[in-house]
């Protein structure tokens, strides 16, 4: 079976989940060798008083012409809520989230990333995971700017890590349209732990066109970085483990607290006018279903790679890890009251609106920019790529792969520079995976339901319904999209910018850290 090819170093993974395997037929099952690692006492979040802490605003960093920004990674402690003791975190620049980098389209930015992290990790590394073996340093870092169009050497390739005491200079040309980008760790095998520890921040790229629109700006524009964490009773991060002492990797992590800009249940005092919110789902594995209490409408003006063609009125929004949404909320009719930002039926934060009437001169034009649809006929080729999950215990998916290939299998996706391709992502699993490509922006062509069993048996695609074009809020430029179970999701992608080796992966970080990530190479 192809699955084992080219690895040799890891566990003997069994057959694909879907090839009905007799239970335990392939030797060790995690359940057989589980030891009872004690789970610490977890925090009861209901004991935290809601809406007492102000929403944190990470410091913003901009570079004057030619200057190199120096950003140090360091361990720190930070109070995530008034009623909690300070939490140990790893950060960029000493805060979680890290400083917001302010950049301008067409104006290059240089950053020196410096690691002052300790020599030992404080979260559980799985040395069986590819790239995190016991003979390589525990604490490693490499920084990726998610959504940035940069030369391969500046992209933060997962194996291009460095250790405490070292630094790495990365130059970002910013040769792309304004967008809500973000930076985070991308270290092979442990990015799930490094991000969980706090290593992420926003990177706002602005341009003249966007500035000409008159959108709410300055103090009326806020980043909202959403995440979740498991906190212990004494307010410390807990990262769950499988129960197998030498193989602690777990396929997903969900927290008992939700954080906005690193705070649990914060509040923001706002004026009775429009605000722009740059929303990022920075969680390891949680999808957020956002709404304003009472299903109050808001406008979505942008997605991952910048503005939509026109604003879309929304009452709720489902955001996967890695995705961004650019929103405008008008508080004018809520003067003197309060409204909560919700995730499903639970509040994430509260807006307290001032009573005074405002003279709001900001605007949201009906046309934001031209986003021409990329025609299917412009594609030079189509690749059919499966999203698979494998297990050596029938009940427990243990490995999610892209097109059945391991990280170390030869590079198979080699688009030509300037070519346009359709990637047909055939999801054979029961879950939505947010699939992200580095370097490029793409459009979603459509999603179409198909017969999964027929595909597993004979690799033939038998559609069971019509193709569904993306809804308007997903019809802009994307870099991460939700690939639904039981559907073929088609991306249309032009590989322009640079040649070289990049990665594409699932943005559920537990998946990405365990080989749901593959290289691709743009050829000259
Ligand atoms: Cu947000 Cu490859 O990353
Ligand atoms: Cu995944």
């Amino acid at each position: 079976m192809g699955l084992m090819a080219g690895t040799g170093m890891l566990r003997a993974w069994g057959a694909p989940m879907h090839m009905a395997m007799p239970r335990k037929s392939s030797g060790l099952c995690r359940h057989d060798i589980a030891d009872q690692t004690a789970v610490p006492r977890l925090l009861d979040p209901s004991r935290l008083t809601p809406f007492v802490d102000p929403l944190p605003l990470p410091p913003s960093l901009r570079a004057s012409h030619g200057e190199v920004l120096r950003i140090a990674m360091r361990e720190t402690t930070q109070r995530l809520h008034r009623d909690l003791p300070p939490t140990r975190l790893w950060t960029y620049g000493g805060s979680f989230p890290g400083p917001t980098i302010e950049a301008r389209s067409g104006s290059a930015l240089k950053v020196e990333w410096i690691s002052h992290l300790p020599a030992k990790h404080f979260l559980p590394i799985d040395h069986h995971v590819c790239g995190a073996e016991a003979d390589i340093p525990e604490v490693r870092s490499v920084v990726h700017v998610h959504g940035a169009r940069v030369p391969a050497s500046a992209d933060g390739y997962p194996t291009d890590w460095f250790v405490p005491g070292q630094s790495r200079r990365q130059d970002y040309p910013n040769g792309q349209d304004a967008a809500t980008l973000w930076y985070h760790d991308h270290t092979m095998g442990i990015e799930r732990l490094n991000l969980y520890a706090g290593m992420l921040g926003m990177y706002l790229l602005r341009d003249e066109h966007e500035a000409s629109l008159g959108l709410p700006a300055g103090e009326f524009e806020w980043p909202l970085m959403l995440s979740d964490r498991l906190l212990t009773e004494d307010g410390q991060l807990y990262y769950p483990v499988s129960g197998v002492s030498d193989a602690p990797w777990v396929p997903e992590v969900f927290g008992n607290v939700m954080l906005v800009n690193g705070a649990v249940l914060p509040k923001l005092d706002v004026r009775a006018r429009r605000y722009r919110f740059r929303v990022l789902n920075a969680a390891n594995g949680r999808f957020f279903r956002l709404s304003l209490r009472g299903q109050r409408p808001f406008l979505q003006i942008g997605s991952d790679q910048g503005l939509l063609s026109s604003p879309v009125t929304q009452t709720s929004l489902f955001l996967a890890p890695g995705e961004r949404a650019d929103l405008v909320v008008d508080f004018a009719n809520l003067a003197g009251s309060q409204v909560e930002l919700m995730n499903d039926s639970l509040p994430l934060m509260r807006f307290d609106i001032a009573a005074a009437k405002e003279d709001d001169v900001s605007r949201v034009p009906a046309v934001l920019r031209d986003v021409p649809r990329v025609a299917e006929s412009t594609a030079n080729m189509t690749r059919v790529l499966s999203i698979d999950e494998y297990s050596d215990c029938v009940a427990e998916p243990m490995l999610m792969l892209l097109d059945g290939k391991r990280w170390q299998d030869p590079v198979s996706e080699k688009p030509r520079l300037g070519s346009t391709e359709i990637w047909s992502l055939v999801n054979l699993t029961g879950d939505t995976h947010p699939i992200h490509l580095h370097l490029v922006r793409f459009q979603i062509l459509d999603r179409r339901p198909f017969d999964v069993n027929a595909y597993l048996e004979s690799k033939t695609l038998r559609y069971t319904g019509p193709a569904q074009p993306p809804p308007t809020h997903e019809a802009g430029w994307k870099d991460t999209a939700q690939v639904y179970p039981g559907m073929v999701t088609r991306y249309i992608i032009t590989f322009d910018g640079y040649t070289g080796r990049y990665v594409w992966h699932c943005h559920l970080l537990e998946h990405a850290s365990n080989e749901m990530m593959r290289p691709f190479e743009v050829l000259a």
Side-chain angles (χ1 to χ4, degrees), residues 98-424:
T100 297
I101 297 176
E102 289 275 349
R104 288 202 74 85
S105 252
S107 166
L109 181 81
K110 308 175 172 80
V111 182
E112 186 176 7
W113 303 98
I114 307 155
S115 174
H116 290 317
L117 293 172
K120 284 204 73 63
H121 217 296
F122 74 108
L123 298 175
I125 294 179
D126 187 330
H127 294 299
H128 287 92
V129 161
C130 179
E133 290 78 8
D135 60 348
I136 55 178
E138 266 198 16
V139 177
R140 299 171 284 129
S141 330
V142 57
V143 187
H144 168 64
V145 178
H146 180 129
R149 185 178 190 252
V150 301
S153 60
D155 194 48
Y157 199 70
T159 53
D160 204 12
W161 44 262
F162 52 100
V163 298
Q166 296 182 329
S167 69
R168 189 62 49 87
R169 193 27 220 274
Q170 283 164 256
D171 294 2
Y172 305 103
N174 295 320
Q176 63 190 102
D177 295 342
T180 308
L181 309 181
W182 62 300
Y183 61 94
H184 60 76
D185 186 81
H186 217 303
T187 309
M188 192 73 203
I190 55 169
E191 71 261 50
R192 64 191 179 110
L193 305 176
N194 288 351
L195 269 95
Y196 197 84
M199 301 185 70
L200 58 99
M202 220 161 228
Y203 186 114
L204 295 178
L205 183 59
R206 304 181 187 277
D207 65 14
E208 300 291 319
H209 171 71
E210 186 192 278
S212 74
L213 297 177
L215 297 166
E219 62 179 301
F220 308 114
E221 183 193 28
W222 282 74
L224 298 180
M225 288 172 259
L226 311 178
S227 62
D228 64 336
R229 296 289 184 273
L230 277 163
L231 292 185
T232 60
E233 263 197 329
D234 59 347
Q236 300 308 306
L237 295 184
Y238 171 65
Y239 188 95
V241 290
S242 64
V244 181
S245 53
D246 67 340
W249 179 83
V250 290
E252 53 198 17
V253 173
F254 298 110
N256 56 350
V257 298
M258 315 293 140
L259 301 123
V260 187
N261 296 352
V264 183
L265 293 166
K267 66 154 182 159
L268 178 65
D269 289 324
V270 295
R271 310 233 297 252
R273 50 157 293 148
R274 279 186 210 93
Y275 278 73
R276 181 179 184 189
F277 295 109
R278 305 293 198 99
V279 184
L280 157 68
N281 183 345
N284 278 43
R286 183 180 294 275
F287 291 68
F288 286 92
R289 189 177 304 280
L290 300 173
S291 66
L292 293 168
R293 190 181 293 272
Q295 299 300 109
R296 296 194 160 273
F298 54 88
L299 292 177
Q300 182 170 356
I301 60 168
S303 61
D304 306 334
Q305 286 284 324
L307 296 168
L308 299 170
S309 57
S310 349
V312 178
T313 303
Q314 302 268 50
T315 51
S316 89
L317 178 62
F318 195 55
L319 211 59
E323 285 189 304
R324 286 87 73 208
D326 198 345
L327 307 181
V328 173
V329 178
D330 193 349
F331 296 109
N333 295 324
L334 289 165
S337 67
Q338 300 164 331
V339 67
E340 289 155 13
L341 175 65
M342 311 290 289
N343 171 40
D344 284 318
S345 58
L346 292 173
L348 291 169
M349 65 172 290
R350 193 177 75 193
F351 299 105
D352 289 11
I353 302 113
K357 277 251 164 287
E358 283 279 326
D359 190 15
D360 185 356
V361 295
S362 71
R363 293 184 308 128
V364 181
V367 175
L368 295 166
R369 69 160 162 171
D370 192 23
V371 182
R373 293 297 296 163
V374 182
E376 211 177 312
S377 58
T378 60
N380 308 77
M381 79 175 284
T382 293
R383 298 177 195 270
V384 178
L385 301 159
S386 60
I387 310 288
D388 319 286
E389 82 195 351
Y390 298 85
S391 176
D392 58 5
C393 285
V394 170
E396 193 181 11
M398 289 165 71
L399 190 63
M400 273 69 58
L401 294 180
L402 298 171
D403 212 33
K405 298 190 177 80
R406 309 294 298 245
W407 168 254
Q408 292 184 332
D409 288 336
V411 183
S412 39
E413 284 66 61
K414 296 179 180 174
R416 292 259 161 217
L417 185 65
S419 68
T420 297
E421 300 194 350
I422 294 170
W423 287 22
S424 263

Side-chain angles (χ1 to χ4, degrees), residues 446-467:
D446 49 29
R447 298 185 176 95
R448 192 166 187 189
F450 72 105
D451 183 336
V452 175
N453 288 325
Y455 189 86
L456 292 171
E457 275 153 29
S458 58
K459 279 222 167 186
T460 45
L461 263 177
R462 198 159 74 220
Y463 293 110
T464 54

Side-chain angles (χ1 to χ4, degrees), residues 46-64:
S46 71
R47 82 169 171 85
L48 303 177
T49 315
F51 320 127
V52 287
D53 296 299
L55 177 71
L57 178 66
S60 80
L61 270 185
R62 60 190 90 226
S64 50

